[in-house]
mmCIF file of all heavy atoms in Angstrom:
data_model
loop_
_atom_site.group_PDB
_atom_site.id
_atom_site.type_symbol
_atom_site.label_atom_id
_atom_site.label_comp_id
_atom_site.label_asym_id
_atom_site.label_seq_id
_atom_site.Cartn_x
_atom_site.Cartn_y
_atom_site.Cartn_z
ATOM 1 N N THR A 30 80.568 79.041 88.302
ATOM 2 C CA THR A 30 81.452 77.920 87.960
ATOM 3 C C THR A 30 82.658 78.508 87.220
ATOM 4 O O THR A 30 82.722 79.725 87.015
ATOM 5 C CB THR A 30 80.779 76.901 86.998
ATOM 6 O OG1 THR A 30 80.509 77.550 85.751
ATOM 7 C CG2 THR A 30 79.502 76.311 87.563
ATOM 8 N N GLU A 121 71.003 80.287 75.644
ATOM 9 C CA GLU A 121 70.161 79.423 76.472
ATOM 10 C C GLU A 121 69.818 80.127 77.803
ATOM 11 O O GLU A 121 68.682 80.078 78.263
ATOM 12 C CB GLU A 121 70.945 78.124 76.741
ATOM 13 C CG GLU A 121 70.136 76.990 77.254
ATOM 14 C CD GLU A 121 69.316 76.282 76.158
ATOM 15 O OE1 GLU A 121 69.562 76.494 74.959
ATOM 16 O OE2 GLU A 121 68.411 75.526 76.553
ATOM 17 N N TYR A 134 89.042 85.241 82.513
ATOM 18 C CA TYR A 134 90.201 84.423 82.904
ATOM 19 C C TYR A 134 90.034 83.859 84.312
ATOM 20 O O TYR A 134 90.028 84.591 85.288
ATOM 21 C CB TYR A 134 91.485 85.257 82.847
ATOM 22 C CG TYR A 134 92.726 84.409 83.064
ATOM 23 C CD1 TYR A 134 93.186 83.568 82.062
ATOM 24 C CD2 TYR A 134 93.410 84.425 84.271
ATOM 25 C CE1 TYR A 134 94.296 82.758 82.258
ATOM 26 C CE2 TYR A 134 94.530 83.627 84.478
ATOM 27 C CZ TYR A 134 94.968 82.793 83.461
ATOM 28 O OH TYR A 134 96.073 81.997 83.660
ATOM 29 N N ARG A 171 75.274 90.287 73.714
ATOM 30 C CA ARG A 171 74.340 89.548 74.566
ATOM 31 C C ARG A 171 74.778 89.379 76.022
ATOM 32 O O ARG A 171 74.005 88.890 76.839
ATOM 33 C CB ARG A 171 73.977 88.210 73.953
ATOM 34 C CG ARG A 171 75.155 87.366 73.535
ATOM 35 C CD ARG A 171 74.730 86.250 72.614
ATOM 36 N NE ARG A 171 75.246 86.504 71.268
ATOM 37 C CZ ARG A 171 75.104 85.692 70.245
ATOM 38 N NH1 ARG A 171 74.435 84.583 70.374
ATOM 39 N NH2 ARG A 171 75.630 85.987 69.076
ATOM 40 N N ILE A 264 98.233 94.713 96.679
ATOM 41 C CA ILE A 264 99.001 94.593 95.429
ATOM 42 C C ILE A 264 98.052 94.669 94.225
ATOM 43 O O ILE A 264 98.448 95.022 93.123
ATOM 44 C CB ILE A 264 99.825 93.279 95.425
ATOM 45 C CG1 ILE A 264 100.841 93.289 94.280
ATOM 46 C CG2 ILE A 264 98.918 92.049 95.367
ATOM 47 C CD1 ILE A 264 101.877 92.171 94.359
ATOM 48 N N HIS A 284 113.923 93.602 97.511
ATOM 49 C CA HIS A 284 115.071 92.707 97.300
ATOM 50 C C HIS A 284 114.778 91.657 96.227
ATOM 51 O O HIS A 284 115.682 90.953 95.769
ATOM 52 C CB HIS A 284 115.457 92.024 98.624
ATOM 53 C CG HIS A 284 114.338 91.207 99.221
ATOM 54 N ND1 HIS A 284 113.166 91.771 99.684
ATOM 55 C CD2 HIS A 284 114.220 89.870 99.415
ATOM 56 C CE1 HIS A 284 112.373 90.814 100.157
ATOM 57 N NE2 HIS A 284 112.995 89.646 99.998
ATOM 58 N N LEU A 297 100.215 102.333 85.276
ATOM 59 C CA LEU A 297 99.286 102.521 86.403
ATOM 60 C C LEU A 297 97.991 103.180 85.942
ATOM 61 O O LEU A 297 96.905 102.822 86.418
ATOM 62 C CB LEU A 297 99.967 103.317 87.523
ATOM 63 C CG LEU A 297 101.060 102.506 88.227
ATOM 64 C CD1 LEU A 297 101.925 103.386 89.121
ATOM 65 C CD2 LEU A 297 100.450 101.362 89.047
ATOM 66 N N VAL A 306 81.941 97.660 89.231
ATOM 67 C CA VAL A 306 81.679 96.879 90.442
ATOM 68 C C VAL A 306 82.930 96.059 90.753
ATOM 69 O O VAL A 306 83.654 95.662 89.831
ATOM 70 C CB VAL A 306 80.415 96.002 90.224
ATOM 71 C CG1 VAL A 306 80.601 94.994 89.143
ATOM 72 C CG2 VAL A 306 79.954 95.319 91.490
ATOM 73 N N THR A 324 101.867 79.311 117.641
ATOM 74 C CA THR A 324 102.196 77.994 117.114
ATOM 75 C C THR A 324 101.871 77.882 115.629
ATOM 76 O O THR A 324 101.744 76.799 115.101
ATOM 77 C CB THR A 324 101.365 76.932 117.848
ATOM 78 O OG1 THR A 324 100.000 77.363 117.754
ATOM 79 C CG2 THR A 324 101.779 76.790 119.281
ATOM 80 N N PRO A 339 103.749 81.261 99.116
ATOM 81 C CA PRO A 339 103.118 82.138 98.130
ATOM 82 C C PRO A 339 103.115 83.598 98.585
ATOM 83 O O PRO A 339 102.360 84.405 98.038
ATOM 84 C CB PRO A 339 101.688 81.588 98.064
ATOM 85 C CG PRO A 339 101.428 81.047 99.424
ATOM 86 C CD PRO A 339 102.764 80.604 99.983
ATOM 87 N N SER A 343 107.476 88.015 102.538
ATOM 88 C CA SER A 343 106.893 87.856 103.879
ATOM 89 C C SER A 343 106.782 86.381 104.236
ATOM 90 O O SER A 343 105.823 85.939 104.876
ATOM 91 C CB SER A 343 105.517 88.545 103.924
ATOM 92 O OG SER A 343 105.699 89.936 103.783
ATOM 93 N N ASP A 378 87.649 101.663 102.765
ATOM 94 C CA ASP A 378 88.848 102.033 102.003
ATOM 95 C C ASP A 378 88.516 102.607 100.623
ATOM 96 O O ASP A 378 89.321 103.342 100.058
ATOM 97 C CB ASP A 378 89.768 100.813 101.833
ATOM 98 C CG ASP A 378 90.337 100.354 103.171
ATOM 99 O OD1 ASP A 378 90.216 101.113 104.160
ATOM 100 O OD2 ASP A 378 90.878 99.230 103.228
ATOM 101 N N GLY A 381 81.864 104.234 98.272
ATOM 102 C CA GLY A 381 81.012 104.373 97.083
ATOM 103 C C GLY A 381 81.228 103.279 96.048
ATOM 104 O O GLY A 381 80.539 103.248 95.029
ATOM 105 N N ASP A 394 81.772 66.817 102.992
ATOM 106 C CA ASP A 394 81.862 65.446 102.473
ATOM 107 C C ASP A 394 80.465 64.917 102.154
ATOM 108 O O ASP A 394 79.947 64.027 102.842
ATOM 109 C CB ASP A 394 82.590 64.551 103.491
ATOM 110 C CG ASP A 394 84.034 64.991 103.662
ATOM 111 O OD1 ASP A 394 84.620 65.464 102.665
ATOM 112 O OD2 ASP A 394 84.563 64.891 104.783
ATOM 113 N N GLU A 400 68.139 56.680 99.402
ATOM 114 C CA GLU A 400 66.881 57.194 98.814
ATOM 115 C C GLU A 400 67.157 58.233 97.736
ATOM 116 O O GLU A 400 66.233 58.848 97.179
ATOM 117 C CB GLU A 400 65.994 57.843 99.892
ATOM 118 C CG GLU A 400 65.530 56.920 101.003
ATOM 119 C CD GLU A 400 66.637 56.627 102.009
ATOM 120 O OE1 GLU A 400 67.444 57.534 102.304
ATOM 121 O OE2 GLU A 400 66.716 55.477 102.465
ATOM 122 N N VAL A 403 70.612 64.194 99.000
ATOM 123 C CA VAL A 403 71.880 64.669 99.557
ATOM 124 C C VAL A 403 71.544 65.735 100.601
ATOM 125 O O VAL A 403 71.112 66.832 100.262
ATOM 126 C CB VAL A 403 72.812 65.247 98.468
ATOM 127 C CG1 VAL A 403 74.152 65.648 99.087
ATOM 128 C CG2 VAL A 403 73.023 64.243 97.338
ATOM 129 N N GLU A 407 75.247 71.363 106.980
ATOM 130 C CA GLU A 407 76.383 72.268 107.273
ATOM 131 C C GLU A 407 76.471 73.355 106.218
ATOM 132 O O GLU A 407 76.812 74.501 106.512
ATOM 133 C CB GLU A 407 77.719 71.508 107.271
ATOM 134 C CG GLU A 407 77.761 70.260 108.123
ATOM 135 C CD GLU A 407 77.460 69.008 107.326
ATOM 136 O OE1 GLU A 407 76.725 69.097 106.317
ATOM 137 O OE2 GLU A 407 77.928 67.936 107.724
ATOM 138 N N GLN A 461 77.310 61.301 85.554
ATOM 139 C CA GLN A 461 77.085 62.742 85.325
ATOM 140 C C GLN A 461 75.661 63.145 85.723
ATOM 141 O O GLN A 461 75.175 64.185 85.301
ATOM 142 C CB GLN A 461 77.363 63.143 83.872
ATOM 143 C CG GLN A 461 78.825 63.080 83.503
ATOM 144 C CD GLN A 461 79.696 64.092 84.245
ATOM 145 O OE1 GLN A 461 79.207 65.019 84.885
ATOM 146 N NE2 GLN A 461 81.017 63.910 84.194
ATOM 147 N N ALA A 469 70.589 73.385 97.825
ATOM 148 C CA ALA A 469 70.109 73.997 96.571
ATOM 149 C C ALA A 469 68.645 74.371 96.738
ATOM 150 O O ALA A 469 68.212 75.452 96.310
ATOM 151 C CB ALA A 469 70.291 73.035 95.406
ATOM 152 N N TRP A 471 67.163 74.962 99.567
ATOM 153 C CA TRP A 471 67.122 76.070 100.546
ATOM 154 C C TRP A 471 67.448 77.399 99.843
ATOM 155 O O TRP A 471 66.764 78.406 100.044
ATOM 156 C CB TRP A 471 68.127 75.776 101.671
ATOM 157 C CG TRP A 471 68.168 76.838 102.719
ATOM 158 C CD1 TRP A 471 67.384 76.916 103.831
ATOM 159 C CD2 TRP A 471 69.035 77.982 102.751
ATOM 160 N NE1 TRP A 471 67.694 78.036 104.552
ATOM 161 C CE2 TRP A 471 68.707 78.717 103.914
ATOM 162 C CE3 TRP A 471 70.045 78.460 101.919
ATOM 163 C CZ2 TRP A 471 69.361 79.894 104.269
ATOM 164 C CZ3 TRP A 471 70.696 79.638 102.268
ATOM 165 C CH2 TRP A 471 70.351 80.346 103.427
#
Side-chain angles (χ1 to χ4, degrees):
T30 64
E121 195 78 14
Y134 188 74
R171 51 195 111 177
I264 192 169
H284 59 294
L297 290 168
V306 64
T324 52
S343 293
D378 294 347
D394 295 327
E400 298 76 37
V403 184
E407 309 95 332
Q461 291 294 347
W471 180 88

